[in-house]
Amino acid sequence: MDLSVVVPTYREALNLRELVERLCAGFAESGIEGEILVVDDNSNDGTEELCAQLAASHPVRLFVRRTERGLATAVIHGMRQATGRVFLCMDADLSHPPESVPELYRAVASGACEIAIGSRYVEGGSVEEGWGLFRWLNSKVATSLARGLTKVKDPMGGFFAIRREVFLNAPPLAPLGYKILLELLAKCPKARAKEIPIEFKDRKFGESKLNLKQQLLYLRHLRWLYQFRYPVLSEIFQYGLVGLTGLAVDLLAFSFLYRIFLVHHLASRAASFVVAATWNWAWNRRITFEGARSRARLPQWAGFLLVSAVGFLLNWGIYYLLTTRSAFFLSAKELALVCGVVAGFAFNYLGARLLVFGRSVVAKAAGRTAPEPEPQSLVGK
Ligand code: GDD
Ligand code: MN
């Protein structure tokens, strides 16, 4: 078998016949021995009957998942059953032109690349007129958030061909939501990718299943992928982000106590420190060092407060020492401040990392498995 085309479907009965016919015409014309694997998530819209009909005269196989939902996992499911030398993934709604399939296939089969991507955003590629500003912006923002994971211009489209071995030898895949191509690009950075221009069409029948929930899933998926690719950096980034929110909490608590309850400013300062450090501890336990969530709270909280207090002293101590002992820093006080903040932050992070939350908690994104799917949350009407 040359090519296995995997088509995830959810309520696409109106589009399937045309898709299969146009695909098979392309196979015949290009001399490709191809199969079409439809992975349907219990649409109950006649897809099963239609596939049974089509299978009589076309190389169509149907897999129905009764309890699982999700585009990306459906694609993985299909690829695990595929027998071709090249796997290809595309939407069922004719957004991805079936006529481009042979070109994508050839790019991989010839060895020109290992992942061939049908791309809207390279020269010659396009989307239909009438994409509203919102849809365009949405697509651009989503794409730029993935910039750190891949240089590909259109990693979001979900129209791609991949060499069988690259898929089978990929690290454990755990996509959330829609972005199966991004998952593969991020986890197989060594695979050579090539973008091939396509004309993206809007669907004629049925409606898009991309909703707000999927967009939020995308953000979580991104986080997993960044953790996979840059485990240490992403931990420091999350620690810093939590720290910034902590600063806001610190300020708020301080002015609350000092301005409204008229507590002495030093007492207010001490109390707001405890509040902010507690806030930071809670969010770091929940997010940055989520692997340490199973540990006892009280000693962890106390340890975190201690580390934060030392970091705080270090921050101020360095400022004090630099500006009193060095003529240079006396005239460059801002620089002294930055030195203190950086040293304090570094101490805080390392202390939290090594002493409080434990060494062994780097979220092993590689070994993550996607959470159990919800039973049949039917999206759309
Ligand atoms: N099996 C299965 N399960 N298939 C699904 C599911 C699901 O939960 N949700 C969607 N699909 C199928 C649809 O039936 C269709 O064949 C394909 O996945 C894409 O879904 P659409 O509902 O057409 O989504 P879209 O047009 O908004 O999104 C497409 O374009 C985006 C770029 O504009 C997809 O290609 C996205 O990956 C892409 O980001
Ligand atoms: Mn679509």
Side-chain angles (χ1 to χ4, degrees), residues 112 174 228 287 359:
F228 176 85
I287 295 175
R359 273 169 204 285

Side-chain angles (χ1 to χ4, degrees), residues 176-338:
L176 284 169
Y178 258 52
K179 307 300 174 194
I180 177 64
L181 174 58
L182 185 64
E183 170 87 7
L184 285 163
L185 289 170
K187 295 216 166 150
C188 313
K190 296 221 174 73
R192 283 169 297 127
K194 183 178 172 198
E195 289 183 85
I196 291 171
I198 59 152
E199 288 176 28
F200 187 95
K201 300 277 182 222
D202 288 333
R203 64 159 73 236
K204 280 183 282 181
F205 303 111
E207 52 187 50
S208 168
K209 286 94 199 174
L210 203 155
N211 52 15
L212 186 67
K213 188 177 150 204
Q214 296 293 332
Q215 315 242 12
L216 294 178
L217 273 184
Y218 171 62
L219 293 182
R220 274 178 61 198
H221 188 199
L222 268 184
R223 177 168 164 255
W224 285 23
L225 292 178
Y226 275 102
Q227 281 182 323
F228 176 85
R229 278 287 281 283
Y230 313 102
V232 176
L233 263 186
S234 70
E235 195 178 271
I236 295 175
F237 177 76
Q238 293 178 82
Y239 195 77
L241 220 57
V242 169
L244 276 182
T245 65
L247 185 63
V249 169
D250 208 347
L251 256 172
L252 225 73
F254 175 79
S255 36
F256 200 67
L257 290 170
Y258 178 56
R259 302 269 173 213
I260 297 179
F261 287 94
L262 304 175
V263 179
H264 187 272
H265 76 103
L266 288 179
S268 300
R269 184 68 199 91
S272 73
F273 171 82
V274 173
V275 171
T278 301
W279 167 277
N280 287 354
W281 163 75
W283 286 103
N284 280 315
R285 177 183 164 96
R286 210 186 139 80
I287 295 175
T288 319
F289 304 104
E290 57 183 327
R293 234 188 280 183
S294 54
R295 309 203 177 173
R297 281 164 209 269
L298 198 63
Q300 203 187 50
W301 171 78
F304 188 82
L305 243 63
L306 195 67
V307 165
S308 302
V310 175
F312 184 79
L313 288 178
L314 202 67
N315 183 340
W316 281 84
I318 284 180
Y319 175 83
Y320 178 77
L321 281 178
L322 287 178
T323 50
T324 51
R325 301 288 151 86
S326 144
F328 170 73
F329 281 108
L330 191 60
S331 56
K333 294 203 178 62
E334 286 81 3
L335 200 61
L337 185 147
V338 170

Side-chain angles (χ1 to χ4, degrees), residues 343-354:
F345 179 79
F347 179 87
N348 263 340
Y349 169 70
L350 288 173
R353 171 93 198 75
L354 301 174

Side-chain angles (χ1 to χ4, degrees), residues 2-6 79-80 82-89 108 160-165 167-168:
D2 296 325
L3 173 64
S4 302
V5 176
V6 174
M79 289 193 176
R80 292 214 174 108
T83 58
R85 287 192 300 130
V86 175
F87 300 163
L88 185 143
C89 164
V108 175
F160 64 95
I162 183 170
R163 245 184 68 205
R164 174 189 185 84
E165 290 74 26
F167 176 81
L168 294 178

Side-chain angles (χ1 to χ4, degrees), residues 128-179:
E128 258 179 56
E129 299 283 310
W131 264 36
L133 181 67
F134 179 73
R135 189 167 175 198
W136 181 84
L137 204 68
N138 203 353
S139 178
K140 284 292 172 201
V141 170
T143 308
S144 51
L145 287 176
R147 264 293 97 82
L149 298 167
T150 172
K151 291 199 194 64
V152 164
K153 294 216 170 60
D154 191 6
M156 304 297 170
F159 186 26
F160 64 95
I162 183 170
R163 245 184 68 205
R164 174 189 185 84
E165 290 74 26
V166 175
F167 176 81
L168 294 178
N169 297 330
L173 300 173
L176 284 169
Y178 258 52
K179 307 300 174 194

Side-chain angles (χ1 to χ4, degrees), residues 8-10 12 39-41 69-71 74 91-93 96 120 131 135 156-158 178-179 200 203 207-210:
T9 61
Y10 188 68
E12 300 288 359
V39 186
D40 185 68
D41 286 353
R69 269 295 309 270
L71 195 168
D91 293 353
D93 59 358
H96 300 149
R120 299 164 288 180
W131 264 36
R135 189 167 175 198
M156 304 297 170
Y178 258 52
K179 307 300 174 194
F200 187 95
R203 64 159 73 236
E207 52 187 50
S208 168
K209 286 94 199 174
L210 203 155

